Amino acid sequence: MKDKITRRDFLNGTRVAIGASLLSPYTEVFGAEPSEFALGSDYYPPALTGMRGSHDGSWEVMHARVAGKQWPAGPPEEQYDLVIVGGGISGLSAARFFTRERPGAKVLVLDNHDDFGGHAKRNEFSADGRTLIGYGGTESIDTPASYSNVARDLLVDIGIDVERFYKYFDQKLYDELGLSYAILFDQEHFGQRKLVTGYGTRPWREFAADAPLSDKARADLVRAFTDERDYLPGMSVEEKRSLLAKTSYLDYLRDYVNVDDQILEIYRRWGMSFWCVGMDEVPALSVPSYDDGGGMPGLKYTMPRVGHRGDEPYIFHFPDGNASVARLLVRSLLPDAVPGSTMEDVVTAKLDYSKLDCDGAATRIRLNSTAVNVAHTADQKAVDVTYVHKGKAHTARADRCILACYNSAIPYLCPELPEEQVRGLSYNVKIPLTYTKVQVRNWRAFAKLGIRYVYYTSDFFKQVELDYPVSLGKYEFGKSPDEPMVLHMCYVPFFADRKGPDQWRAGRRKLLETSFATFEEHVRDQLDAALASGGFDADRDIEAITVNRWPHGYSYSPGLLWEPEWPNEESKPWVVGRRPFGRIAIANSDAGASADTNSAITHGYRAVQESL
Ligand SMILES: Cc1cc2nc3c(=O)[nH]c(=O)nc-3n(C[C@H](O)[C@H](O)[C@H](O)COP(=O)(O)OP(=O)(O)OC[C@H]3O[C@@H](n4cnc5c(N)ncnc54)[C@H](O)[C@@H]3O)c2cc1C
């Protein structure tokens, strides 16, 4: 079976697609490329499996730049009104905002990946002639009610009506099938590797009785969830708030709820896919207090808090996540590249990548192109952007430039920036994480065991979960457990002895050193460990694996325990970092220190206003 996956991933996936990228139909007939940037009409990166995300070929040039390599700016080969570095949602939004204000303006978007969208990437799989769609990164329009007006308006502008997800997302399916959350306890901390189902749905006493815990830990778990006890008696809400803002959740559990160490081990890595640090760095005040599937004990009667989503459900999800937002943005810029006209038909639209970068088009999106130097011309009347494409340096001259790329990399692109701004930009240490998608023949084992989500207390992958049940347009989610499914598994490097930015830096290195084979080995082991008793067999049931590796994933966000208090908005490092510099403006979700699409769009808009 290992061979089978290897063949699928590397023969049917990567190698065919590389062939496609190099040989357009024109080349096949005439033997020469019409333009060195043109993509073939059969170029289609979403169908690639294997190692994706920041795939090999996307990161090496920028790493060489950071290590000191230079590419001298040549004479400008092209002239634009605006060059945008970064083809994620922020850069694409900026292109949309700019061209709406300046119809006909010449805009070039550069991105180092072989696909546009930044973190908002689409993964496709083929199951007996049927296409399954998955999300390789940015997964949902999270809490659209909290979006800025400009971000909400942009979604409408590109054709998204978020209300329709109430119809498209089946919120009842897994409940009706009786599927719950489960924990796979690990051998090291709990003495045996054991799956316990019904977290948050079975009575806590029953759940605890099945868990491999000491008697004391069992009693503590039940008490922490069910006792209607205020663990901070005699304190006002304000006093509790300030204490919990400065106390980690693990310290709170240990020192105030007084639970056994085994309970701490259950929750230590609970928030790894969201906060990307251990719960010893997350303030107890940030932890939601409900007690269902994702709930955490000890707070319900001390400091009730529902979490950041308020009343909005987590349903605003296209099958490919916010890759459909990126596709709709590209449609608004280059309609010929993305056939169709609705938020429904974009889901199954077959993109024509050969239309992204055409001679004579006002807007061009140039993939596989890493910016390495961005500098004002000697007369300060333009900006020269030097980038590397297929190993060769090119320079484009622009009236204005927007840097919608990772903010911490900007000082390497723009050595002219003032020191204070460099410090501000460098503060944003990107957070590494991976989304691994596993195509399975069916999900009968989940149905049989009654689970939709497994949390692993101490394993490589933190979780495996069934896909979001969403059907729209011609795309039908496979609602029967007999149908194929794309499972979601999340791995975030964890180092118990390192904190925050140090952990994230080490994690970035670790991600680049971890081979596809290692991911595959853990996928097999962890799925078998959780599901074998439901009839799952990794050798038989896994059809394909795509690892979306994001060493530069989430934006840094303030809010962890060690974040200093900034005296005012202007002194926050990311606010200093995003100041306009001459003809250069700065976007990306990093500019708002917030890992979300709202921030990406909002700061794309601000950067355009500064550029107009
Ligand atoms: C795994 C994952 C899951 C997420 N899930 C959600 C979610 O559910 N909801 C949500 O709102 N947000 C989510 N996010 C946050 C996400 O980062 C934002 O929502 C948004 O997609 C960021 O868009 P962006 O354009 O600001 O940045 P990016 O998507 O990072 O785009 C920037 C682009 O610039 C490119 N670039 C960098 N340097 C250069 C260079 N020198 N030359 C050329 N190009 C360059 C980058 O490679 C990238 O393609 C998630 C992020 C990750 C990593």
Side-chain angles (χ1 to χ4, degrees), residues 174-230:
Y174 294 146
D175 285 342
E176 283 171 355
L177 290 171
L179 308 189
S180 70
Y181 292 75
I183 296 184
L184 195 116
F185 291 87
D186 67 278
Q187 173 86 33
E188 184 191 342
H189 300 102
F190 303 97
Q192 54 175 304
R193 211 174 182 200
K194 183 175 180 194
L195 181 78
V196 183
T197 65
Y199 184 94
T201 45
R202 284 161 76 200
W204 286 109
R205 196 163 294 284
E206 262 182 40
F207 180 88
D210 277 357
L213 298 172
S214 67
D215 288 347
K216 172 162 186 323
R218 261 192 204 119
D220 284 351
L221 184 68
V222 175
R223 171 177 56 84
F225 267 121
T226 59
D227 258 23
E228 297 186 11
R229 195 185 305 182
D230 179 350

Side-chain angles (χ1 to χ4, degrees), residues 7 55 80 118 135 165-166 173 194 219 244 252 334 460 469 516 535 547 549 560 582:
R7 269 202 313 279
H55 54 83
Y80 289 92
Y135 53 97
F165 286 103
Y166 284 93
L173 179 70
K194 183 175 180 194
L244 295 174
Y252 170 73
L334 295 163
F460 182 84
F516 179 83
V547 177
R549 168 181 73 180
L560 294 174

Side-chain angles (χ1 to χ4, degrees), residues 2 41 175 223 247-248 256 292 315 419 430 449 496 504 537-538 560 594:
K2 242 179 187 148
S41 55
D175 285 342
R223 171 177 56 84
T247 307
S248 80
Y256 295 90
D292 61 6
I315 57 165
E419 228 176 81
K430 294 291 264 179
L449 294 167
W504 298 328
D537 176 353
L560 294 174
S594 189

Side-chain angles (χ1 to χ4, degrees), residues 62 85-91 110-113 117-121 136-142 147 314 322 369-372 404-406 409 413 430 433 435 550 552-555 588-590 595-598 600:
M62 195 59 206
V85 176
I89 289 180
S90 194
L110 297 169
D111 198 280
N112 55 320
H113 289 102
H119 297 146
K121 282 288 187 325
T138 311
E139 57 182 71
S140 295
I141 303 169
D142 189 354
Y147 273 37
Y314 194 65
N322 290 3
S369 300
T370 308
V372 286
C405 50
Y406 311 143
L413 302 181
K430 294 291 264 179
L433 72 161
Y435 275 8
W550 299 112
H552 301 270
Y554 290 158
S555 165
N588 194 285
S589 56
D590 292 356
D596 60 58
T597 293
N598 176 37

Side-chain angles (χ1 to χ4, degrees), residues 139-144 161-172 309 311-319 321-322 343 468-472:
E139 57 182 71
S140 295
I141 303 169
D142 189 354
T143 327
D161 174 1
V162 291
E163 291 300 309
R164 292 190 201 166
F165 286 103
Y166 284 93
K167 190 165 95 201
Y168 299 147
F169 191 108
D170 189 341
Q171 292 188 65
K172 295 202 188 118
R309 291 198 176 96
D311 290 336
E312 270 190 314
Y314 194 65
I315 57 165
F316 307 100
H317 174 85
F318 288 95
N322 290 3
M343 70 180 267
Y468 297 111
V470 63
S471 303
L472 68 161

